[in-house]
Amino acid sequence: CDNPQGWNAFANYGNAFYNDHHFQYGYAVKSFAWALYLVNVKGFDLGFSHDQVQNITKMATLFARDYANPSKEDTFFTTLRHKDMFDGHSWAEGYDYSGRILTWVNQQSSGEALNSYQAVYLLGKATNNKAMSDWGRIHAASELLAIQTYQQLSNDTAADSNVPYSLMTKTT
């Protein structure tokens, strides 16, 4: 932490509270993934040694596990820290399954959330990890559907204030 007076969870924009990890780490994962894709898939020489490529892969995977971890057996990161599987979208502060009421549960940027799951997809493609690319793809798709359902209202939805409810309870 960069707080010279001692540890403070707010000193790094709430990083210790998992604030915006899928936003911020999503950019890092996507940058790493593009570099790895160019080297591993397209064969570009970016000047990285084999060890550097391995280290970039480990770092990108570590960041991706922080916000998009698929494993319930992982002892370091929780499963899908930011994803609300019922609604299909992410929360900026992470998702709390303990039942306590959070005051900061929000989604500040749906585009950045979508980008973070596209980054996981690209990382899977770049590292030839089909399970990872599928994991990123499914969560990007659910994020996009949630964005279209809850956030991108049109003239048609303005007439019906129960659109999300009616979509969820539709029987056709």
Side-chain angles (χ1 to χ4, degrees):
C1 183
D2 56 2
N3 183 351
Q5 305 303 318
W7 187 82
N8 181 341
F10 291 105
N12 288 320
Y13 303 101
N15 193 58
F17 294 119
Y18 308 111
N19 185 54
D20 294 347
H21 281 205
H22 64 312
F23 297 169
Q24 296 167 8
Y25 294 1
Y27 286 116
V29 170
K30 196 163 209 178
S31 298
F32 289 142
W34 272 117
L36 291 168
Y37 184 82
L38 290 173
V39 170
N40 295 339
V41 178
K42 294 297 185 180
F44 281 61
D45 181 6
L46 299 180
F48 297 139
S49 70
H50 175 75
D51 287 345
Q52 288 172 319
V53 169
Q54 294 305 310
N55 288 337
I56 292 169
T57 301
K58 288 177 188 176
M59 184 60 68
T61 303
L62 181 72
F63 279 126
R65 281 173 52 209
D66 180 87
Y67 67 86
N69 186 22
S71 174
K72 292 181 180 180
E73 283 76 41
D74 192 326
T75 58
F76 297 101
F77 298 101
T78 190
T79 306
L80 287 171
R81 181 181 312 281
H82 291 274
K83 194 79 167 188
D84 182 332
M85 294 307 295
F86 179 78
D87 287 336
H89 65 82
S90 300
W91 296 106
E93 292 276 326
Y95 194 74
D96 178 29
Y97 295 97
S98 70
R100 66 186 172 99
I101 296 173
L102 296 177
T103 56
W104 292 349
V105 174
N106 61 71
Q107 176 63 312
Q108 298 161 357
S109 174
S110 56
E112 288 178 313
L114 183 58
N115 176 69
S116 72
Y117 298 111
Q118 290 174 329
V120 173
Y121 167 77
L122 181 59
L123 181 60
K125 287 295 192 185
T127 58
N128 197 28
N129 183 333
K130 184 172 178 356
M132 183 184 295
S133 63
D134 286 348
W135 189 251
R137 187 168 51 104
I138 191 86
H139 292 294
S142 71
E143 196 78 33
L144 181 59
L145 180 60
I147 291 166
Q148 292 169 337
T149 301
Y150 300 114
Q151 296 173 0
Q152 294 176 339
L153 303 179
S154 69
N155 289 337
D156 294 333
T157 58
D160 185 1
S161 62
N162 290 320
V163 167
Y165 178 78
S166 63
L167 287 174
M168 290 186 296
T169 57
K170 195 172 186 179
T171 57
T172 51

